[in-house]
Amino acid sequence: MAEKLATLSFSDGKPSVDFPVLGGTMGPEVIDVRALYAKTGMFTYDPGYLSTASTRSKITYIDGDEGILLYRGYPIEQLAERCSFLEVAYLILNGELPNKQQLEQFVDIVVHHTMVHEQLSRFYSGFRRDAHPMAVLCGVIGALSAFYHDSIDINDPRSRDISAFRLIAKLPTITAMTYKYNVGQPFMYPKNSLSYVENFLYMTFGTPCEEWKPNPVLTRAMERILILHADHEQNASTSTVRLAGSTGANPFACIAAGVASLWGPAHGGANEAVLKMLDQIGDAKHIPEFIKRVKDREDHSMLMGFGHRVYKNYDPRARIIQKTCHEVLEELDLKDDKLFKLAMALEKVALEDDYFIKRKLYPNVDFYSGVVYKALGIPVPLFTAIFALARTVGWIAQWNEMFSDPDSKLNRPRQLFTGPTTRDFVPVEKRK
Ligand code: SDX
């Protein structure tokens, strides 16, 4: 079949130029503009990447109009219902669901990397006790490269694999230690007889003084939340990881960059912001007043946990989390939980309001996750750190994918320069 082309023509009489149109297996085609500058001396201008595909990828597919999310082709609803987090991690990293033996082997390797270097635990005492967990994660994850010199050769696939295992296995330990440091309790060593999720909950909530018993409903809820957060195509933090990775930076440095990017309230930090917003609203009777403020341009209030760059129909993850929320609250005998009721009332008002309807603003993954975390007893500042724990799988998979892509290059965007034109230096005594 003849190559499909897109023709760019100019109104000033310049000759038009053709560009190849590339198709994927699903989703919009792309115009390959890599030769644009060479052919025309012009760049594309797309702040915020509204119309830019920054890479090829085989990992995650989103149809934002239909509210569809697939990991390696499998619908998120099926994976969240039927898989463990490590099963999904294997799928995201390797492209296929593991058979029984592959899964056992994968779990075994992860389990045997859960402990962190003893010296790393001393790193924590350099932080204030009230340090935000995301600040601690940025520092501690970045520091891992100083502890694991044997796995930072990015050109060696084996070394990349070892780093991937280390990061996925140690993130629960590092995150739980962050919490323990905040509350002044002793760090709990991982217990490798527990599952990945149980181990995280044990290291977070267990103490050396008491027997800790997993609760299957709560474990399942956390497992599901981690699955829902595991990857999401070329979102801001994943793009940060890829950008850092394109320079040849080591994987620990790249993931630390991803954590920093995730922290922002427009991205993963929204789960914490939702809880703060619900606290601020306080009661359903204040919802109309809050919505009025959101719509007031001068006020700069946002309905946190609402809106998405890609989803213009419902975020499928929000639906699953809302259901999980029901289950958790039922199990904990918190059916009348004030926060959950307030969140549902707020969602209802927003979904019926013209402002949100016109802009296609729906609840995203962060809207209900905080309510579940809160019910599980997880402190608000740890919310985004748990997002980071789960997303580490996606970050690593996407980072690794770059190495097999012949089109991968140093990510180096250009700009539309609007500053001063060339001018001569003026000595300080002559400046006005
Ligand atoms: C995540 O990209 C990913 O995949 C991210 C993520 C992942 O898994 O990695 O899904 C995780 O980051 C979820 C998003 C969490 N963020 C929030 O919940 C924060 C609140 N949401 C908004 O900040 C916003 O909706 C974004 C940042 C999520 C998306 O912003 P866009 O695509 O840049 O859209 P926009 O800011 O240009 O908004 C379009 C319009 C504007 O109004 P107008 O100027 O056209 O009149 O919608 C308005 C915005 O003001 N708007 C909102 C709003 N979100 C958008 N108005 C009020 N409240 C909101 N939440």
Side-chain angles (χ1 to χ4, degrees):
M1 210 168 73
E3 186 184 29
K4 185 170 168 180
L5 297 171
T7 303
L8 175 65
S9 58
F10 299 90
S11 57
D12 64 0
K14 259 198 197 160
S16 56
V17 273
D18 289 335
F19 296 97
V21 173
L22 311 178
T25 48
M26 284 191 283
E29 294 175 319
V30 302
I31 303 171
D32 178 355
V33 294
R34 281 175 293 180
L36 178 69
Y37 182 60
K39 285 184 176 177
T40 66
M42 289 177 177
F43 300 132
T44 55
Y45 180 64
D46 186 18
Y49 307 114
L50 295 170
S51 297
T52 295
S54 60
T55 185
R56 293 171 193 265
S57 183
K58 295 186 168 114
I59 303 174
T60 293
Y61 175 78
I62 306 172
D63 182 329
D65 294 322
E66 297 297 325
I68 291 171
L69 168 59
L70 313 173
Y71 293 162
R72 302 281 191 181
Y74 294 102
I76 190 68
E77 292 80 3
Q78 295 179 20
L79 297 172
E81 188 63 39
R82 306 179 59 177
C83 290
S84 68
F85 176 65
L86 285 187
E87 212 174 340
V88 171
Y90 183 101
L91 169 71
I92 289 175
L93 291 164
N94 299 298
E96 295 298 335
L97 282 165
N99 63 29
K100 202 163 169 290
Q101 192 196 354
Q102 287 166 329
L103 181 60
E104 278 167 12
Q105 207 175 4
F106 182 74
V107 170
D108 191 63
I109 300 177
V110 171
V111 158
H112 287 97
H113 283 84
T114 49
M115 231 166 27
V116 293
H117 194 293
E118 194 60 19
Q119 195 138 347
L120 193 79
S121 60
R122 275 177 240 147
F123 219 81
Y124 284 77
S125 51
F127 290 98
R128 277 172 54 136
R129 282 275 174 201
D130 60 355
H132 194 285
M134 289 297 276
V136 179
L137 280 196
C138 286
V140 173
I141 294 173
L144 289 176
S145 49
F147 286 84
Y148 300 109
H149 290 289
D150 61 331
S151 67
I152 54 175
D153 177 2
I154 56 159
N155 295 314
D156 173 14
R158 172 93 189 111
S159 178
R160 294 203 302 269
D161 277 352
I162 295 173
S163 291
F165 278 118
R166 284 189 168 140
L167 277 157
I168 292 166
K170 292 181 203 310
L171 248 289
T173 315
I174 291 170
T175 308
M177 287 167 79
T178 302
Y179 171 67
K180 289 301 196 197
Y181 184 71
N182 273 169
V183 292
Q185 291 180 4
F187 296 143
M188 298 293 283
Y189 286 111
K191 204 183 235 181
N192 293 343
S193 56
L194 297 172
S195 76
Y196 186 84
V197 171
E198 284 169 349
N199 211 357
F200 170 62
L201 294 172
Y202 162 72
M203 289 186 284
T204 306
F205 297 118
T207 66
C209 335
E210 275 171 15
E211 184 82 16
W212 181 88
K213 274 208 185 110
N215 171 328
V217 174
L218 305 189
T219 304
R220 185 68 207 132
M222 181 58 85
E223 192 106 42
R224 200 171 283 171
I225 286 190
L226 296 190
I227 291 170
L228 298 177
H229 287 84
D231 193 46
H232 213 234
E233 211 225 50
Q234 306 311 318
N235 61 84
S237 55
T238 300
S239 298
T240 304
V241 170
R242 279 188 180 260
L243 194 137
S246 81
T247 71
N250 73 69
F252 304 107
C254 296
I255 301 302
V259 172
S261 169
L262 184 74
W263 193 1
H267 193 15
N271 55 16
E272 181 177 344
V274 168
L275 250 279
K276 287 186 180 149
M277 172 188 75
L278 292 174
D279 268 346
Q280 196 192 336
I281 297 172
D283 192 284
K285 67 173 187 264
H286 299 134
I287 290 176
E289 184 196 324
F290 175 73
I291 294 284
K292 201 167 146 209
R293 284 182 45 203
V294 168
K295 294 196 274 189
D296 177 2
R297 298 254 131 211
E298 306 293 302
D299 190 275
H300 303 295
S301 291
M302 296 284 266
L303 178 46
M304 300 311 285
F306 253 69
H308 198 276
R309 173 62 63 78
V310 186
Y311 293 118
K312 301 299 174 194
N313 181 330
Y314 215 85
D315 178 339
R317 300 168 299 175
R319 223 185 285 281
I320 302 170
I321 297 190
Q322 199 210 45
K323 189 169 158 255
T324 305
C325 211
H326 269 295
E327 288 167 15
V328 168
L329 296 173
E330 192 121 325
E331 164 70 14
L332 297 172
D333 214 8
L334 293 171
K335 275 173 289 220
D336 292 325
D337 182 67
K338 208 172 148 223
L339 215 56
F340 185 48
K341 284 194 156 170
L342 183 59
M344 289 209 302
L346 183 57
E347 179 191 354
K348 187 167 182 303
V349 172
L351 292 182
E352 287 168 359
D353 191 297
D354 237 25
Y355 173 94
F356 298 93
I357 295 170
K358 262 200 206 131
R359 289 169 179 78
K360 300 188 175 174
L361 302 171
Y362 294 89
N364 59 51
V365 68
D366 292 319
F367 192 70
Y368 283 107
S369 60
V371 184
V372 182
Y373 292 143
K374 190 87 194 290
L376 295 179
I378 290 171
V380 178
L382 208 57
F383 290 3
T384 314
I386 294 175
F387 192 156
L389 186 171
R391 186 55 58 86
T392 295
V393 166
W395 287 333
I396 277 287
Q398 302 259 357
W399 173 80
N400 223 347
E401 193 179 51
M402 290 196 315
F403 295 91
S404 58
D405 182 352
D407 288 345
S408 273
K409 268 184 138 16
L410 170 75
N411 289 6
R412 173 48 167 103
R414 299 303 303 270
Q415 62 178 6
L416 175 64
F417 182 70
T418 56
T421 53
T422 313
R423 50 185 171 164
D424 283 326
F425 175 80
V426 181
V428 69
E429 58 279 7
K430 292 200 174 159
R431 285 176 218 156
K432 285 185 204 146

